[in-house]
Amino acid sequence: AQSVTQLGSHVSVSEGALVLLRCNYSSSVPPYLFWYVQYPNQGLQLLLKYTSAATLVKGINGFEAEFKKSETSFHLTKPSAHMSDAAEYFCAVSLTGNQFYFGTGTSLTVIP
Amino acid sequence: GAVVSQHPSWVICKSGTSVKIECRSLDFQATTMFWYRQFPKQSLMLMATSNEGSKATYEQGVEKDKFLINHASLTLSTLTVTSAHPEDSSFYICSAKPGLGVLDEQFFGPGTRLTVL
């Protein structure tokens, strides 16, 4: 069975500071990994995905994530936080790209 | 990107009644749709996978007779919560994919909040 763990249900950063949201996965076989963002009253939006190509994945809005097999991690980063980045972020794992298993989410607050 | 809608966005019902939630892909045909349930401050839990014209595949622990899923067309899937009880109150989210490949993006609806009194 596959699963993901997101460390830190709430993260606060100052505007312009580095954003780091942590995700560790568990899977018996190499998985596909995803990061989604959810703004209030909106559906989940795909930020980026790892599908066994490059280990460093670049996504939308300046976000990127690095797949580290040795650490079973897929942390999400952004060099400089914007106020508009405040949202809920979900990490997800899938073996097929169809059935997704999500982490518990991290709420990002950006302090002006 | 492609749009997935859900209707209603929120619903309140009495205990013992049934509630139907619709999920539509507005600008693409979805061979597969997925239903998730999200409890407050918790993760999205996959409930079932719905393929057009066939029976849904339910995740372990999800009651098939309680959560009826119908995928009648390539743009519409419905979730019916039968004989709803307060513990069924939750946020229900659907998603849809235009294809089954890994590179095919899965698009999520905005969710439906169900409150059972």
Side-chain angles (χ1 to χ4, degrees):
Chain A
Q2 59 273 15
S3 65
V4 292
T5 301
Q6 290 184 242
L7 297 176
S9 58
H10 291 90
V11 171
S12 293
V13 299
S14 297
E15 190 174 14
L18 171 72
V19 175
L20 171 61
L21 304 183
R22 300 177 186 275
C23 174
N24 287 87
Y25 71 90
S26 174
S27 177
S28 56
V29 298
Y32 301 114
L33 294 159
F34 305 79
W35 273 100
Y36 281 85
V37 61
Q38 185 179 33
Y39 297 101
N41 302 315
Q42 294 186 30
L44 277 74
Q45 180 182 2
L46 179 66
L47 279 176
L48 48 80
K49 60 185 175 186
Y50 167 74
T51 56
S52 74
T55 56
L56 181 62
V57 182
K58 294 186 182 298
I60 62 172
N61 301 339
F63 285 94
E64 63 181 38
E66 186 172 6
F67 173 73
K68 292 186 176 180
K69 185 178 179 180
S70 61
E71 299 177 8
T72 62
S73 68
F74 191 58
H75 301 332
L76 181 71
T77 61
K78 181 174 181 178
S80 177
H82 291 179
M83 296 298 295
S84 60
D85 295 328
E88 189 84 16
Y89 291 81
F90 291 93
C91 181
V93 63
S94 176
L95 294 185
T96 63
N98 293 310
Q99 290 83 4
F100 281 25
Y101 299 92
F102 286 85
T104 51
T106 298
S107 177
L108 176 66
T109 299
V110 182
I111 304 167
Chain B
V3 179
V4 174
S5 71
Q6 287 185 236
H7 177 80
S9 55
W10 58 270
V11 57
I12 301 174
C13 69
K14 293 182 178 180
S15 185
T17 61
S18 294
V19 174
K20 180 184 286 187
I21 301 170
E22 293 186 347
C23 175
R24 293 182 185 273
S25 56
L26 297 185
D27 47 8
F28 66 98
Q29 292 186 329
T31 56
T32 307
M33 288 184 169
F34 306 87
W35 287 96
Y36 295 84
R37 182 174 180 177
Q38 185 179 25
F39 292 99
K41 307 298 183 184
Q42 295 188 33
S43 177
L44 284 77
M45 302 296 294
L46 179 63
M47 298 174 66
T49 302
S50 167
N51 292 295
E52 186 265 339
S54 62
K55 290 184 178 181
T57 302
Y58 290 82
E59 294 294 300
Q60 192 171 10
V62 177
E63 298 177 62
K64 301 177 182 181
D65 296 331
K66 177 99 179 135
F67 299 100
L68 300 180
I69 292 172
N70 184 284
H71 195 155
S73 76
L74 287 173
T75 60
L76 173 65
S77 177
T78 61
L79 167 68
T80 301
V81 183
T82 62
S83 186
H85 291 285
E87 58 265 29
D88 299 323
S89 298
S90 192
F91 197 54
Y92 293 89
I93 299 173
C94 74
S95 67
K97 288 188 68 169
L100 292 176
V102 172
L103 297 182
D104 289 304
E105 186 172 341
Q106 189 167 149
F107 299 98
F108 286 79
T112 296
R113 184 163 303 284
L114 169 63
T115 301
V116 184
L117 302 177

